Amino acid sequence: PGGDILAQWESQGSGLSFPCRGLGSSARSAREDSWLKSLFVRKVDPRKDAHSNLLAKRETSSLYKLQFHNVKPECLEAYNKLCQEVLPKIHEEKHYPCALVGTWNTWYGEQDQAVHLWRYEGGYPALNEVMSKLRQNKEFTEFRKERGNMLLSRKNQLLLEFSFWNEPVPRDGPNIYELRSYQLRPGTMIEWGNYWARAIRFRQDSNEAVGGFFSQIGQLYMVHHLWAYKDLQTREDIRNAAWHKPGWDELVYYTVPLIQEMESRIMIPLKISPLQ
């Protein structure tokens, strides 16, 4: 996994290296010194390419929209019912170049929250086409008005998917989903991608990796990793097992300094969600 981005960076001499396990005391000291320097020194050679050109899938032009709706507690049941009645009818029409990837309620994390993930096949032109058509759709206009009365706040982000992650496809359930969101330090997105192109191979054994995305519009330098698990105990077992794989600890060691903030949501899919 991650061959595209690795090939680009290795051909340019990214300067990244990963120490081996079982290091002596002098080597450990050198590694600690290297870690301290990594807080202040960019290890990746400067490039003139946009992050999106280096990190995103080139074989597709899909754009993703991630929506967070904070619902009035007394309205969550009605909100879910409304979404399940209206969204499939609107977005499954063939002349809308978009698809609902997944829709959930947050179980652990921010409460009374709905999370929706959409894919626009064709990038920004597809997004503009869909938004233009929806503004003329009376059913959707009424839906937004009724939905708005149930909300406390809402926000969204436009995302691209990392080239080395799985593309999110429908899956059978039941599953719980974890959305891990990382606010990176400005200027470190390429480094994050370079490390995770290697790290993702440690997290494929149980088919738990659903999708990985980075923001283009909205809150910037945001990364979202989406995982699926049978239950919370399975999640714990899979995550613990990764630490027994040689190399995983090194990758965690070097990615942690790139993070400013991180958040984990455990989410339950709605009945209409393609990701069950």
Side-chain angles (χ1 to χ4, degrees):
D4 291 344
I5 187 172
L6 291 178
Q8 292 179 59
W9 282 101
E10 287 170 358
S11 66
Q12 295 294 325
S14 67
L16 292 173
S17 61
F18 298 89
C20 299
R21 296 169 63 89
L23 299 174
S25 58
S26 60
R28 285 197 300 271
S29 177
R31 190 181 75 167
E32 291 168 1
D33 180 61
S34 175
W35 180 84
L36 288 172
K37 290 180 180 178
S38 73
L39 296 177
F40 308 102
V41 180
R42 277 193 65 141
K43 291 190 173 186
V44 179
D45 294 337
R47 291 288 299 269
K48 295 181 180 180
D49 310 57
H51 288 175
S52 57
N53 292 335
L54 292 170
L55 295 169
K57 281 185 169 66
R58 296 193 176 192
E59 62 271 21
T60 68
S61 57
S62 294
L63 180 72
Y64 290 81
K65 178 167 68 176
L66 184 62
Q67 296 177 305
F68 299 98
H69 290 172
N70 291 320
V71 185
K72 297 175 182 178
E74 67 273 16
C75 296
L76 185 60
E77 184 176 349
Y79 172 94
N80 289 338
K81 182 179 179 181
L82 180 66
C83 288
Q84 291 180 141
E85 289 175 351
V86 176
L87 292 183
K89 290 190 293 183
I90 293 177
H91 291 283
E92 287 181 0
E93 294 184 19
K94 293 182 179 179
H95 62 287
Y96 286 102
C98 73
L100 180 64
V101 177
T103 178
W104 304 267
N105 286 156
T106 300
W107 182 24
Y108 288 102
E110 196 161 355
Q111 296 295 282
D112 303 307
Q113 185 180 71
V115 180
H116 307 291
L117 182 63
W118 304 92
R119 179 192 295 115
Y120 296 86
E121 298 179 3
Y124 292 106
L127 174 67
N128 291 336
E129 179 183 347
V130 171
M131 294 299 102
S132 177
K133 289 179 176 178
L134 288 178
R135 281 193 291 269
Q136 302 173 37
N137 186 312
K138 292 183 179 180
E139 185 176 10
F140 183 76
T141 301
E142 290 300 316
F143 161 71
R144 287 198 64 180
K145 183 178 179 180
E146 185 175 355
R147 185 189 67 183
N149 293 329
M150 303 178 183
L151 299 181
L152 293 170
S153 65
R154 59 194 179 102
K155 70 174 182 178
N156 58 30
Q157 295 175 353
L158 295 181
L159 315 169
L160 295 176
E161 56 185 331
F162 284 111
S163 62
F164 45 86
W165 268 78
N166 300 335
E167 182 172 349
V169 295
R171 66 170 65 197
D172 296 329
N175 295 292
I176 63 171
Y177 289 80
E178 182 176 19
L179 183 65
R180 295 180 70 87
S181 302
Y182 302 88
Q183 177 69 61
L184 301 186
R185 298 181 183 278
T188 63
M189 184 65 74
I190 294 295
E191 291 172 89
W192 179 273
N194 218 8
Y195 285 122
W196 264 95
R198 295 167 169 84
I200 191 62
R201 70 178 185 267
F202 294 100
R203 298 296 309 277
Q204 300 281 13
D205 293 350
S206 302
N207 194 33
E208 71 268 25
V210 177
F213 313 90
F214 60 99
S215 62
Q216 289 288 283
I217 296 178
Q219 191 171 357
L220 298 178
Y221 284 98
M222 284 294 300
V223 169
H224 300 283
H225 292 174
L226 184 61
W227 310 91
Y229 303 101
K230 180 181 177 181
D231 50 40
L232 288 174
Q233 185 58 56
T234 302
R235 170 188 176 274
E236 181 75 3
D237 294 342
I238 290 174
R239 287 177 55 82
N240 287 340
W243 289 96
H244 298 285
K245 299 177 181 179
W248 171 256
D249 57 342
E250 303 288 356
L251 290 163
V252 173
Y253 184 88
Y254 283 105
T255 53
V256 166
L258 308 180
I259 302 169
Q260 284 188 324
E261 295 180 11
M262 58 189 296
E263 182 177 5
S264 170
R265 291 175 175 86
I266 301 297
M267 308 184 302
I268 304 297
L270 299 187
K271 292 180 181 179
I272 61 170
S273 178
L275 289 169
Q276 283 294 312

